[in-house]
Amino acid sequence: MTLGGWIIMFSSISLVSIFFGLTLYLVLTHKKSIEHLHSTLDEPPDIEE
Amino acid sequence: MQSSKKENWGSLIGVVLAVMGSAIGLGNFIRFPGLAAKYEGGSFMIPYFFALIFLGIPIAWLEWTIGRYGGQKGFHSTPGIFRILWNNRISPYFGFFGLLVPVGIFMYYILIEAWCLYYAYLYLIGTFPLLQEGNAYIEFFRNFTGMNQDGIVFDSNHTPILFFILLCYLLNMWIIYRGLVKGIEMISKMGIPLLFLIAFIILGRVLTLGTPDPNYPERNLLNGLGFMWNPATSEKNFIESLMNAEMWLAAAGQIFFSLSVGFGVIITYASYLKKNDDVILSATTSAAGNTFAEVALGGLITIPAAFVFLGKEGISDSVFQLGFITLPHVFEKMPIGRLFGFLWFVLLFIAAVTSSISMLQPAIAFFEEGLKTNRKTSISLLSFITLIGSLFVVYFSKDLVALDNMDFWIGTFGIYVLATTQIIIGGWIFGVDQVFEEAHKGSLIKIPKIFKFVIKYISPAYLLIVFISWLYQKLPSYIQTLQTNTTARFTFFFVVLLSVFFILLIAQANRNWKKENQGV
């Protein structure tokens, strides 16, 4: 493993991990998604008249 | 839309996981590492990220946006949504690839799914590892897939693979039958976290392999990681590697297929979102999750493990070779390899199931809205069509010619055409300004304005270059195969027949829509 290999591996994995972690955090804490979760428990949302 | 029942996703995380499940497949854990290692992995990451930013994510934003827009007008299938975006009597016909591609891929993908389940079962009952010398895994693979002779899989003395195919088939239909929330969303919510958990367990094992065979001290983990990630080799330096045009095309192709854009699935999934559900964040998160699975998990597991036990001679960029022949050989040499072999194929099976269930929803949506059938009838009709196709691929198993040709005409050519059509209708006819305005409804994050230019010019040009180069490289050999191989001709004829069938259905749906003057 060369220094270049370490740099590219570390930066690629860090980049995709931060990217995924951040977007997932936003989805999970997004107000609308929480509202949706509540509505799922209240009524089956796949069959709305 | 005048339908009395309206389906919607249960939660935003549910649809994000469903799209992630659709995108994460064997390509993430096998195809990506194989390609990266082939092109000096470190260098490969530069065109890979370039394609992610300028091709993959912009097309994903576009597809999610037009999908949600179509859904608000009461349409969930590509033909119906194209009719909304482009008010013209011929526009639904341009969406026929949005039916052909997912349904056609399902017909052969279900086989690969069954192979994964069969391998997991063999590890569980102790038949695997084979503990034989020579080419035992190659022979095993050729035998159970029926590569030696057409129709042999139907022989009563053959392996029980047919039973596993039927099992996977029934499982998929059952999940789909349960509906969007209780079926697809529920399976994705359980399957994707489980998939990540198993991948982390296997990753932990791979990163602690050290130097397992003292007779081969050079076959150690660091050299395995180096083989995958070093940006240069003794023959090529970093700059020389980056000058390789073929690598840029391969990276763009990998991003494109891995994200499942232009596949006919995202547009349908997004159409079940509510008016202000965040499409930008959802599209970005799905793309990010898929990339994470590919780079951080696939990139650290497959090639380093194969290198440590088999050296660089044992590594191939062929998905079937690496996944079903090389890796079982690796697990045979690995301490407690039976357990890790089992986990590995369960992981691949989950990845395959969450992808295959997504392939049926676009056609179901089309049957429901275009032909006015209910879900039960739609699934029955789709089961019949896909069963014929799957049995066709299972029967013509010699050298997997039928599977390979179907993958070429539907799974590659069809996807390129659909994605190009989608980006032209969405970005040019519907208009990039309207796409931007629509995308930002309910969005937490904003797309930089520069991406208007990217979506309108850069992404289509990028896609066309990759498509034309691919045609130039591959089309002549497949045309030649059509002239020399009977199974290839049968397969092509089958694809044409399926296309005609869908075009006739679209004609009928068009008449129905015209009668109701729906949405326009």
Side-chain angles (χ1 to χ4, degrees):
Chain A
M1 184 82 156
T2 62
L3 180 64
W6 278 111
I7 292 171
I8 290 187
M9 185 181 87
F10 187 74
S11 48
S12 298
I13 292 171
S14 305
L15 188 73
V16 296
S17 303
I18 292 168
F19 184 35
F20 181 42
L22 184 68
T23 53
L24 191 63
Y25 171 79
L26 290 174
V27 168
L28 291 171
T29 55
H30 197 352
K31 198 179 154 213
K32 281 198 179 67
S33 72
I34 293 165
E35 283 169 1
H36 269 292
L37 282 169
H38 283 296
S39 71
T40 317
L41 295 172
D42 297 338
E43 54 181 305
D46 55 339
I47 303 176
E48 286 178 2
E49 293 296 327
Chain B
M1 184 78 180
Q2 289 153 19
S3 171
S4 60
K5 288 179 179 176
K6 191 177 187 306
E7 283 189 301
N8 280 118
W9 293 102
S11 63
L12 199 61
I13 187 66
V15 61
V16 167
L17 289 175
V19 173
M20 224 186 275
S22 169
I24 297 174
L26 272 64
N28 296 63
F29 296 98
I30 304 175
R31 190 173 185 267
F32 166 78
L35 266 185
K38 182 183 173 186
Y39 293 110
E40 299 87 27
S43 308
F44 184 80
M45 296 316 294
I46 307 290
Y48 177 85
F49 283 122
F50 190 83
L52 177 69
I53 295 165
F54 293 104
L55 182 69
I57 292 180
I59 299 181
W61 283 331
L62 175 87
E63 199 168 345
W64 277 81
T65 305
I66 59 177
R68 187 186 61 177
Y69 182 80
Q72 292 310 306
K73 304 281 179 186
F75 288 90
H76 303 281
S77 67
T78 313
I81 292 172
F82 277 7
R83 186 169 178 266
I84 290 297
L85 298 175
W86 181 19
N87 186 9
N88 189 301
R89 66 190 170 89
I90 60 162
S91 57
Y93 295 97
F94 284 92
F96 110 90
F97 273 105
L99 302 175
L100 178 72
V101 167
V103 171
I105 294 177
F106 179 85
M107 290 173 178
Y108 61 84
Y109 200 78
I110 196 85
L111 266 72
I112 301 166
E113 191 174 310
W115 297 352
C116 297
L117 184 62
Y118 183 49
Y119 269 47
Y121 167 75
L122 293 176
Y123 275 107
L124 188 68
I125 62 169
T127 306
F128 264 11
L130 292 170
L131 300 173
Q132 291 169 24
E133 291 302 315
N135 295 326
Y137 287 102
I138 298 176
E139 282 309 310
F140 182 86
F141 183 76
R142 287 190 63 85
N143 184 39
F144 96 88
T145 54
M147 281 179 80
N148 297 319
Q149 192 187 327
D150 280 339
I152 193 143
V153 173
F154 291 93
D155 193 313
S156 57
N157 295 324
H158 197 265
T159 59
I161 188 64
L162 205 56
F163 168 76
F164 281 87
I165 294 170
L166 288 174
L167 196 66
C168 290
Y169 197 81
L170 292 173
L171 176 71
N172 274 270
M173 293 305 163
W174 176 73
I175 295 170
I176 290 293
Y177 183 72
R178 286 176 59 86
L180 213 56
V181 175
K182 289 179 186 166
I184 296 172
E185 188 172 339
M186 189 195 77
I187 292 294
S188 304
K189 275 180 170 175
M190 292 192 302
I192 297 302
L194 183 63
L195 181 146
F196 279 121
L197 177 69
I198 295 175
F200 276 115
I201 293 171
I202 298 173
L203 178 62
R205 182 71 196 97
V206 171
L207 294 181
T208 51
L209 283 172
T211 311
D213 189 347
N215 295 320
Y216 295 98
E218 76 286 359
R219 291 183 186 177
N220 58 55
L221 179 70
L222 279 185
N223 284 347
L225 289 171
F227 185 74
M228 172 74 203
W229 292 97
N230 283 346
T233 59
S234 51
E235 296 95 42
K236 266 187 190 172
N237 64 34
F238 183 46
I239 301 297
E240 281 169 343
S241 295
L242 277 183
M243 301 300 279
N244 184 354
E246 196 186 298
M247 177 175 78
W248 283 78
L249 292 174
Q254 175 61 26
I255 277 292
F256 179 70
F257 288 108
S258 178
L259 291 180
S260 288
V261 286
F263 192 63
V265 169
I266 292 177
I267 194 167
T268 293
Y269 272 9
S271 73
Y272 295 105
L273 288 171
K274 288 178 181 166
K275 194 179 172 186
N276 286 320
D277 276 343
D278 194 333
V279 285
I280 300 175
L281 181 59
S282 306
T284 311
T285 310
S286 308
N290 179 69
T291 312
F292 175 79
E294 192 155 275
V295 176
L297 300 174
L300 288 178
I301 294 174
T302 318
I303 297 296
F307 184 93
V308 162
F309 289 105
L310 305 174
K312 65 178 178 183
E313 299 78 21
I315 294 169
S316 159
D317 63 331
S318 153
V319 170
F320 292 161
Q321 168 82 32
L322 194 55
F324 295 94
I325 295 166
T326 307
L327 286 173
H329 201 184
V330 167
F331 293 125
E332 179 169 323
K333 290 169 178 283
M334 185 186 281
I336 47 169
R338 189 179 147 193
L339 172 68
F340 286 98
F342 170 73
L343 287 176
W344 174 255
F345 284 102
V346 168
L347 178 146
L348 292 186
F349 174 68
I350 295 170
V353 171
T354 51
S355 298
S356 63
I357 52 174
S358 72
M359 296 168 195
L360 300 173
Q361 187 61 32
I364 291 172
F366 172 74
F367 293 153
E368 286 176 340
E369 71 196 19
L371 307 177
K372 309 297 170 199
T373 56
N374 60 29
R375 192 170 185 89
K376 203 172 175 181
T377 312
S378 303
I379 291 172
S380 305
L381 184 59
L382 194 60
S383 303
F384 180 68
I385 299 165
T386 50
L387 191 62
I388 291 173
S390 297
L391 290 176
F392 176 89
V393 184
V394 174
Y395 183 84
F396 291 104
S397 57
K398 191 169 187 310
D399 296 326
L400 302 179
V401 172
L403 192 154
D404 181 51
N405 275 266
M406 243 167 138
D407 185 48
F408 178 84
W409 293 111
I410 297 179
T412 315
F413 181 83
I415 290 182
Y416 274 127
V417 176
L418 177 59
T420 308
T421 314
Q422 208 165 257
I423 206 163
I424 290 171
I425 291 182
W428 286 73
I429 297 174
F430 185 60
V432 72
D433 289 327
Q434 204 166 337
V435 167
F436 252 63
E437 190 189 323
E438 189 62 33
H440 285 94
K441 286 178 184 166
S443 71
L444 191 68
I445 50 177
K446 304 284 173 211
I447 304 175
K449 276 191 179 155
I450 182 74
F451 276 93
K452 276 191 182 182
F453 181 78
V454 171
I455 289 174
K456 191 160 185 180
Y457 298 105
I458 305 287
S459 302
Y462 203 157
L463 188 62
L464 277 174
I465 291 169
V466 176
F467 184 23
I468 292 166
S469 310
W470 174 83
L471 281 177
Y472 178 74
Q473 283 173 357
K474 303 279 183 185
L475 194 60
S477 68
Y478 276 86
I479 297 284
Q480 200 180 9
T481 312
L482 282 182
Q483 291 163 347
T484 55
N485 190 300
T486 313
T487 304
R489 277 199 295 276
F490 275 155
T491 311
F492 185 75
F493 181 69
F494 180 79
V495 172
V496 171
L497 211 64
L498 194 62
S499 306
V500 171
F501 174 73
F502 279 128
I503 288 172
L504 290 175
L505 290 187
I506 291 173
Q508 181 57 43
N510 221 4
R511 279 193 287 273
N512 292 343
W513 290 330
K514 207 175 274 178
K515 258 188 239 165
E516 295 174 4
N517 197 24
Q518 269 184 275
V520 282

